[in-house]
Amino acid sequence: GSDVFVQNQILLADEIAQRKEVLRALPLRLAICPSTYCNYDCLMCTYGELGTLDDELPRAFYDELMDFAPGLRLIEALGGEPLASPVFREFLADFDFARHPALRVALVTNGSYLTPKEQARLRRVPFDNLTISLNAATPETYLAVNRGLSWTRVRENLDALLRRRRDGELRCAITYSMVILRQNLAEVRAFAELARRDGVGYRYLLPNYDRNGQ
């Protein structure tokens, strides 16, 4: 990395070794929630019901965030649905990532906003990994669990991602994610087989609490 990036890591290691409680070193990773809004209403998640764009991080936040950019390794965006935030999408599209070659972006997303057109707009974003919350292996279960877009429309987005990765335009890890519920329990094995066919990773999570008896 750049001299600034390397020296920041050395400074952090020194301050940890000295057991400093107030650090001069900049963080290496930042996790942010662009807003709590989600365009889905998944069975196990309250963001679709309670999330809102009223708490969307403003453009001024991202302008200030860039003070940390020289030392950053990763910005991870969570939600809600992070790409539901217009301000966050504009930040990704406009930011000059080439000035900070060590910086990468990670997303946990339902994939609904990753249309081919939006992927083209974000083609310069150096993604480190994309975690796609699918939660199902069939169109029927996908719609029943996620209560958002149809499987067909999301599959178009996934196919565009996979084509770009095969063509070398997209160089990042892709992981399909499933929260195990009563509604999708029968598809645990099929979910792994789907991910293997697509050549991506997969993960399983347990729900945090019992919403909708799941």
Side-chain angles (χ1 to χ4, degrees), residues 94-161:
D94 295 344
F95 182 66
D96 185 6
F97 286 97
R99 291 186 56 197
H100 306 283
L103 178 57
R104 298 290 184 269
V105 176
L107 285 182
V108 179
T109 173
N110 60 36
S112 62
Y113 286 87
L114 288 173
T115 62
K117 181 178 179 180
E118 190 67 11
Q119 289 184 45
R121 195 167 79 103
L122 301 180
R123 65 188 180 278
R124 295 187 180 87
V125 178
F127 287 112
D128 181 78
N129 63 80
L130 294 170
T131 300
I132 316 292
S133 299
L134 293 182
N135 301 307
T138 63
E140 298 77 16
T141 301
Y142 180 83
L143 193 58
V145 171
N146 297 303
R147 302 192 290 191
L149 295 186
S150 70
W151 172 256
T152 300
R153 290 182 61 186
V154 171
R155 186 69 241 190
E156 290 172 355
N157 296 348
L158 296 179
D159 288 341
L161 275 177

Side-chain angles (χ1 to χ4, degrees), residues 3-172:
D3 287 343
V4 174
F5 182 72
V6 172
Q7 290 304 316
N8 183 60
Q9 293 181 82
I10 293 172
L11 176 60
L12 179 61
D14 286 343
E15 291 185 323
I16 290 172
Q18 296 169 32
R19 300 185 179 183
K20 293 282 186 70
E21 295 183 4
V22 178
L23 305 181
R24 291 179 297 126
L26 299 174
L28 305 184
R29 299 166 61 110
L30 289 176
I32 64 172
C33 178
S35 84
T36 58
Y37 174 75
C38 186
N39 58 327
Y40 281 23
D41 184 21
C42 297
L43 286 176
M44 65 292 188
C45 180
T46 60
Y47 283 124
E49 177 185 2
L50 303 177
T52 174
L53 277 175
D54 290 344
D55 60 12
E56 182 181 30
L57 295 175
R59 183 67 197 218
F61 169 84
Y62 297 102
D63 293 340
E64 186 175 336
L65 180 69
M66 288 307 96
D67 292 340
F68 297 95
L72 277 178
R73 166 67 182 85
L74 186 71
I75 297 173
E76 182 175 17
L78 311 163
E81 168 53 49
L83 293 177
S85 164
V87 177
F88 179 61
R89 294 201 306 274
E90 290 301 318
F91 159 71
L92 290 179
D94 295 344
F95 182 66
D96 185 6
F97 286 97
R99 291 186 56 197
H100 306 283
L103 178 57
R104 298 290 184 269
V105 176
L107 285 182
V108 179
T109 173
N110 60 36
S112 62
Y113 286 87
L114 288 173
T115 62
K117 181 178 179 180
E118 190 67 11
Q119 289 184 45
R121 195 167 79 103
L122 301 180
R123 65 188 180 278
R124 295 187 180 87
V125 178
F127 287 112
D128 181 78
N129 63 80
L130 294 170
T131 300
I132 316 292
S133 299
L134 293 182
N135 301 307
T138 63
E140 298 77 16
T141 301
Y142 180 83
L143 193 58
V145 171
N146 297 303
R147 302 192 290 191
L149 295 186
S150 70
W151 172 256
T152 300
R153 290 182 61 186
V154 171
R155 186 69 241 190
E156 290 172 355
N157 296 348
L158 296 179
D159 288 341
L161 275 177
L162 297 175
R163 278 195 303 272
R164 292 181 59 228
R165 194 175 66 164
R166 284 195 301 269
D167 294 343
E169 296 178 27
L170 181 68
R171 299 180 180 180
C172 73

Side-chain angles (χ1 to χ4, degrees), residues 172-192:
C172 73
I174 299 175
T175 302
Y176 293 168
S177 178
M178 172 187 264
V179 179
I180 299 175
L181 308 170
R182 294 179 186 275
Q183 186 74 39
N184 63 16
L185 183 60
E187 297 186 2
V188 166
R189 185 180 294 275
F191 186 77

